[in-house]
Amino acid sequence: MHHVEAQHAAERRLKVLVIAPSLDGNDLSEPEWAYRWVEALSRKADVTVLASSREGAVPLEKQLPLARVITWPEIRWLYQKFERFNAMAKPGLPFFVRQCRRWIKAALANGERFDVGHQILPQGMRHASAFADFDIPYVIGPLGGGLKTPTGFEAEVNASRGLANRLRDLDDFRLRHDPALRRTYQKAALVFGVAPYVQDRLAEVGLQRFHALPERGYGNFAPEITRQSAVGQLTLFHAGRVIRTKALRDTIRALAHLRDLPGVRLVTAGDGEDLPLCRAEAKSLGVADRIKFLGRIPRGAVEQHYAAADVFCFPSFREPMGGVFFEAMAHSLPIITAANGGPDFLIDDSCGIKIPVTTPDQFSRGIADAVRKLAMNPDLRQQLGAGARARLQSFGSWDDKADLMLTFYTQIIAQAHPRPLPELERATS
């Protein structure tokens, strides 16, 4: 009777079980975009979500009134004392997975049925899923991360080798040898990745089906404005955590190749371990007077700087996706970025200029060439800015994301419960 179940699923609101350990519409990054996705999905399907709850946060059941919400408290001391380590390694996740496994087992034993499951978080490709232990067809993702440092940049990046690099090395080993992790991806009916590089990363695991899909939808666009900087006058904006791979240092070096264009200036917002080195490099190269280091600033102030800029220059060369690109495109900003990882998928010729990632010297010169091209051509800036807005719109709103998910879910259910051949077709086949 499996085909009957599939037909019934197509005729009613789907029952979707979502696993997402951190959801919060008032947070940033993964918790916020995953929340937007689940919120939109709950308007179109019967959603049950298994998540963690954090002390002091608005209760998830209040944030998602249309969904059925099951939560377990996050391990408080991990978040408060080791916030960065907790965000990256997620040491409390195995405990959360065990709780999900117990809940699903009890729900199924009590007669509950779910048409499809979706493990939407964590985004990193290093965590096994509770879904792998059950017969519920499920999808995973969008997954991201796991990018290698380009060879020419290894020396500079490894000079400040931190936890992320060590975890990346461990990820390589686990993807080859951890049976639970491999089974999670092998058994998934569909794996979403934030960009095509994810499929390459998981190729040796053996996926049933893969689809590249940016993790974010667009919300509200900023008001359209006409930027009127003159030829040779340009304000670049860089925003994000200041670590070596985010390429603020390379952008500073690019300014040193543009001494004949003193009207090109850089504004950067963000803090991090590489910031002192960036300040020192700007001083040693003689371009400190053309750079405004804002440090960490409030969200509203970041939006003001997007609006005031002419170009968003964020050539991060090991970027899984980059939510800042969505923000910049919503402000109709042309983009300068790296031809690698998520940005290589997200940004095309309609909205930006992508720089090949080779060596630090060639990279900074490539950034400088792109800046020069835009500084000397206001019409091109206007054209790429309009293209950025259109490119963002092509990725779909959150409601569009939810509709697309329902399409994929329906396909997966049909594959899990195929219709038997009619009697006549069976007899003649």
Side-chain angles (χ1 to χ4, degrees):
M1 298 295 288
H2 289 319
H3 66 286
V4 176
E5 294 175 11
Q7 182 177 350
H8 287 171
E11 295 172 350
R12 57 171 169 76
R13 284 167 63 93
L14 295 183
K15 292 178 67 66
V16 182
L17 179 61
V18 174
I19 295 178
S22 52
L23 284 179
D24 191 345
N26 301 303
D27 206 334
L28 300 173
S29 192
E30 290 183 22
E32 190 271 338
W33 67 251
Y35 164 81
R36 301 294 171 200
W37 206 325
V38 175
E39 179 191 40
L41 189 61
S42 69
R43 294 194 289 269
K44 300 170 183 288
D46 290 336
V47 174
T48 297
V49 58
L50 309 183
S52 297
S53 61
R54 179 171 295 175
E55 185 176 343
V58 177
L60 192 56
E61 56 268 25
K62 290 187 177 181
Q63 296 188 54
L64 294 171
L66 300 180
R68 175 193 184 192
V69 176
I70 310 296
T71 60
W72 297 278
E74 189 174 61
I75 300 175
R76 179 180 176 185
W77 62 269
L78 275 176
Y79 175 72
Q80 292 183 336
K81 296 183 180 296
F82 306 98
E83 181 176 1
R84 182 64 184 159
F85 176 71
N86 186 49
M88 297 176 65
K90 296 180 171 52
L93 191 65
F95 177 67
F96 173 78
V97 172
R98 286 196 297 272
Q99 291 172 312
C100 291
R101 192 178 292 118
R102 292 192 192 108
W103 188 92
I104 296 171
K105 184 177 180 180
L108 296 178
N110 289 332
E112 286 202 59
R113 292 293 178 265
F114 301 97
D115 296 311
V116 67
H118 191 157
Q119 175 99 30
I120 199 169
L121 287 178
Q123 190 175 49
M125 291 177 275
R126 60 172 64 110
H127 307 289
S129 173
F131 281 130
D133 295 325
F134 302 95
D135 289 331
I136 304 168
Y138 66 93
V139 302
I140 295 215
L143 297 174
L147 284 166
K148 300 289 187 182
T149 299
T151 303
F153 288 78
E154 286 177 345
E156 289 189 354
V157 171
N158 291 342
S160 57
R161 186 172 172 83
L163 174 63
N165 285 1
R166 291 191 286 272
L167 285 174
R168 196 171 285 107
D169 293 341
L170 180 60
D171 290 345
D172 290 339
F173 178 84
R174 291 186 60 226
L175 283 172
R176 290 193 300 268
H177 303 293
D178 186 332
L181 185 62
R182 291 174 66 88
R183 189 164 70 100
T184 284
Y185 300 135
Q186 290 166 346
K187 194 177 175 185
L190 173 62
V191 171
F192 292 113
V194 296
Y197 76 83
V198 174
Q199 185 175 23
D200 298 334
R201 179 98 168 110
L202 296 175
E204 66 179 74
V205 175
L207 305 180
Q208 295 186 40
R209 184 181 177 189
F210 177 87
H211 185 82
L213 183 70
E215 80 266 36
R216 293 174 182 264
Y218 68 79
N220 297 322
F221 284 94
E224 290 196 58
I225 59 174
T226 300
R227 294 176 168 88
Q228 297 179 332
S229 294
V231 173
Q233 301 291 317
L234 197 69
T235 298
L236 305 171
F237 185 48
H238 181 290
R241 190 161 162 265
V242 187
I243 56 178
R244 180 63 190 95
T245 60
K246 302 294 184 183
L248 177 58
R249 210 186 300 183
D250 304 285
T251 307
I252 292 169
R253 291 170 180 172
L255 285 184
H257 297 298
L258 298 167
R259 299 186 189 280
D260 59 319
L261 293 177
V264 175
R265 307 182 68 82
L266 170 65
V267 176
T268 171
D271 198 359
E273 62 196 44
D274 207 47
L275 185 57
L277 291 172
C278 287
R279 289 181 181 273
E281 187 130 7
K283 186 175 181 180
S284 68
L285 291 174
V287 295
D289 61 330
R290 296 166 61 184
I291 303 172
K292 181 179 291 186
F293 293 96
L294 300 174
R296 189 171 182 175
I297 59 176
R299 175 76 256 166
V302 174
E303 293 293 326
Q304 292 174 10
H305 284 286
Y306 278 125
D310 297 300
V311 173
F312 185 62
C313 186
F314 190 72
S316 180
F317 52 79
R318 203 181 67 197
E319 189 69 32
M321 175 52 66
V324 288
F325 292 110
F326 289 79
E327 296 167 2
M329 287 190 284
H331 282 271
S332 302
L333 282 173
I335 311 291
I336 296 174
T337 192
N340 192 50
D344 198 26
F345 172 61
L346 196 64
I347 305 304
D348 65 12
D349 293 342
S350 73
C351 60
I353 300 174
K354 296 185 290 189
I355 314 302
V357 184
T358 50
T359 67
D361 180 62
Q362 291 175 326
F363 192 51
S364 64
R365 290 180 184 275
I367 296 168
D369 289 344
V371 172
R372 182 182 298 278
K373 184 176 183 178
L374 293 177
M376 303 308 293
N377 194 335
D379 289 341
L380 179 60
R381 298 202 300 265
Q382 196 73 20
Q383 175 187 327
L384 294 179
R389 202 176 187 94
R391 178 69 171 163
L392 178 57
Q393 195 161 17
S394 75
F395 295 137
S397 66
W398 291 113
D399 281 334
D400 293 333
K401 295 274 189 194
D403 287 334
L404 182 61
M405 284 305 98
L406 292 177
T407 298
F408 280 120
Y409 294 160
T410 302
Q411 292 173 0
I412 289 165
I413 293 164
Q415 292 166 357
H417 307 300
R419 294 176 61 88
L421 292 172
E423 291 297 324
L424 179 58
E425 189 175 340
R426 279 208 301 262
T428 58
S429 61

